[in-house]
Amino acid sequence: MSDHVLILEPLSSGAGLPAAARVLGARVSVMALDTGSVRLDDSCRPWIDDLVRINLSDASAVVDAVERLHRAHPLTAVIPGFEFFVPLAHQLAARFGLPCNDLRHVDALRFKDRMAARARACGLRIPRTYVVGDEGDAEKAGADVGYPAVVKAPDTTASCDVYKVRNRQELLERCARIWRRPLEEDWEYAVTPFALVQEFVAGPEVSVETVAFGSGPALMNVTDKLVTDGPNFVELGHSVPSARGARELAAIGQLAADVHEAYGIRVGAAHMEMRLHDGEPVLIEVGARLAGGRIIDLIELAAGVDMTRETVRAFLGASAPERSLGYSAAACVRFLTPPAAGHFLLDGSAVRSTLVRDLVLEQEIEASGLLRDYRDRHGHIVVQADTAATAARHAEECLRLVAFTPVPPAVSAGRTA
């Protein structure tokens, strides 16, 4: 094996990176905590040659461990497998002269306050954003952006600690919740001591998934998103390809290219979230990582392009993708969320549908009835069809084949008391 790939915490959509690297002929090393809620998925373990269990928040220990790996087998790529460790991965890559993004802006691909500041500096269209550390700052920010407003933590992922607030009281309550957060529970790094207050942008939400091979987005997909409208923003489903019109797609594509330039995204995957306000895209967030929420699976079903494989190829020095994105089909995912506390039960006829490509349902887990973030989704249905509308319609029909048994109120109250 001539190539040696190091992957930092291959979690969520990053779990497919070890297999992709090995299939491309690389030796695969992984650094991960690998315990508790961030235990590596069993599916990626057979593809790992060297597993180094380490807390990646200990930067000096990580550097020492990486240098030992590099001495034993010189590294040819360092790839982030989880959003928290994007800056670290690119800093390590630069240390060894390997492909990486612009280090001047890499922190802005992780921390949302710096993300917003960089967008403003480059003239990108984003929501008005304020950093607030006390009630006085929060009240002033809310008065300027108006209500509803958005309150979010600057250092979380997967829409955790993101709230839509309707008034001053809700804004102060949500900010206080962020100000009082303890140490991050898995890697135990200190969380930022401030919150962000943002202008709420009304309009449909899309995401943009790209892969860069040295400059600009060589691969670009636009995904239509189904998201709750508050007080939490929970993704309920995605569809590929997007049904937006040609003018809107052109504007989205131009903003995505501008984002690559502004943040120095030169290699690997990026995932951007945008809202269309009066038909014009507004950047909400950007991360230098693969998209979650089964979006990568949808792209492969609809266009035949493996974005995980292309990401690894880009880090290994490929100058172009193996094939361009051309949609010969469509695909969508719908997530199962609980209407109340209780249990899901699957009607087997949904499994027998020829259009269903993947169906996962947590039937043994009692749902809380809350809808706060991705952890309150208890399964998903992936459907492939000839058009996005057909796929979405069939997915909704399959959802109706999932029964739900609520827990009696007295029992539910007793369990939460």
Side-chain angles (χ1 to χ4, degrees):
M1 297 181 184
S2 56
D3 289 314
H4 182 194
V5 173
L6 171 61
I7 303 168
L8 305 185
E9 291 286 4
L11 300 168
S12 185
S13 57
L17 289 166
R22 177 72 79 76
V23 169
L24 287 167
R27 180 184 184 89
V28 178
S29 293
V30 164
M31 287 188 170
L33 197 58
D34 193 28
T35 187
S37 63
V38 292
R39 185 178 182 275
L40 297 179
D41 192 278
D42 289 340
S43 65
C44 75
R45 293 181 186 276
W47 306 99
I48 299 171
D49 295 293
D50 307 292
L51 174 58
V52 180
R53 291 182 173 85
I54 191 171
N55 189 334
L56 290 175
S57 65
D58 186 345
S60 61
V62 169
V63 169
D64 289 344
V66 173
E67 288 182 340
R68 287 194 296 271
L69 279 176
H70 186 64
R71 286 195 296 270
H73 303 280
L75 292 166
T76 47
V78 181
I79 305 176
F82 191 65
E83 183 169 347
F84 287 178
F85 304 107
V86 166
L88 178 60
H90 288 276
Q91 290 157 2
L92 289 170
R95 185 184 186 94
F96 297 104
L98 306 176
C100 65
N101 290 334
D102 191 333
L103 295 190
R104 294 173 298 175
H105 312 305
V106 73
D107 281 346
L109 294 167
R110 163 77 180 98
F111 299 103
K112 298 176 180 64
D113 56 316
R114 302 175 201 182
M115 192 180 297
R118 181 61 185 164
R120 283 197 305 272
C122 295
L124 302 182
R125 192 176 184 191
I126 61 162
R128 282 173 291 161
T129 303
Y130 291 89
V131 175
V132 299
D134 57 42
E135 289 192 355
D137 288 344
E139 288 180 330
K140 291 176 184 177
D144 183 71
V145 304
Y147 295 98
V150 174
V151 173
K152 62 174 64 172
D155 53 1
T156 55
T157 188
S159 297
C160 295
D161 295 315
V162 181
Y163 312 102
K164 183 180 180 181
V165 297
R166 299 169 295 177
N167 51 51
R168 170 185 171 277
Q169 180 180 349
E170 289 183 0
L171 182 143
L172 293 178
E173 288 174 353
R174 297 303 188 181
C175 284
R177 181 177 297 186
I178 293 171
W179 293 331
R180 293 195 300 262
R181 291 180 301 158
L183 287 175
E184 194 283 327
E185 62 182 352
D186 292 312
W187 295 279
E188 297 184 338
Y189 55 75
V191 297
T192 50
F194 53 82
L196 302 183
V197 175
Q198 286 188 325
E199 169 191 13
F200 173 71
V201 178
E205 185 168 328
V206 299
S207 68
V208 184
E209 294 72 46
T210 65
V211 181
F213 291 81
S215 65
L219 290 171
M220 184 186 301
N221 169 79
V222 179
T223 301
D224 288 336
K225 300 167 73 72
L226 181 63
V227 183
T228 58
D229 192 37
N232 302 86
F233 298 97
V234 182
E235 296 175 349
L236 302 179
H238 309 302
S239 294
V240 174
S242 171
R244 310 313 306 180
R247 189 192 69 80
E248 288 179 327
L249 289 173
I252 290 167
Q254 183 58 60
L255 179 54
D258 292 342
V259 167
H260 270 251
E261 181 67 23
Y263 293 89
I265 302 172
R266 301 186 295 221
V267 59
H271 174 64
M272 308 166 208
E273 295 176 353
M274 303 179 187
R275 286 210 169 201
L276 293 164
H277 183 68
D278 294 333
E280 295 298 324
V282 179
L283 178 66
I284 304 299
E285 293 181 5
V286 54
R289 59 170 177 85
L290 288 162
R294 320 304 298 186
I295 291 175
I296 299 305
D297 299 335
L298 302 186
I299 295 171
E300 187 162 10
L301 287 171
V305 173
D306 184 342
M307 299 288 270
T308 304
R309 175 184 172 91
E310 294 293 1
T311 294
V312 176
R313 291 185 66 252
F315 275 99
L316 289 176
S319 59
E322 291 178 315
R323 58 178 295 180
S324 59
L325 278 170
Y327 303 98
S328 58
C332 82
V333 61
R334 289 292 182 268
F335 298 102
L336 286 98
T337 56
H343 297 273
F344 288 102
L345 181 63
L346 178 66
D347 183 328
S349 58
V351 183
R352 293 192 291 272
S353 169
T354 58
L355 299 181
V356 172
R357 295 293 175 263
D358 187 32
L359 193 155
V360 173
L361 179 62
E362 297 174 347
Q363 299 187 78
E364 304 301 322
I365 294 177
E366 181 181 307
S368 67
L370 301 175
L371 193 55
R372 299 154 298 187
D373 54 47
Y374 73 97
R375 287 166 290 196
D376 293 315
R377 302 187 311 205
H378 295 277
H380 64 262
I381 296 172
V382 174
V383 172
Q384 181 186 38
D386 55 345
T387 68
T390 301
R393 184 171 62 252
H394 191 77
E396 296 294 340
E397 292 171 355
C398 288
L399 284 178
R400 289 193 286 272
L401 297 174
V402 179
F404 185 81
T405 304
V407 175
V411 174
S412 178
R415 290 177 181 175
T416 57

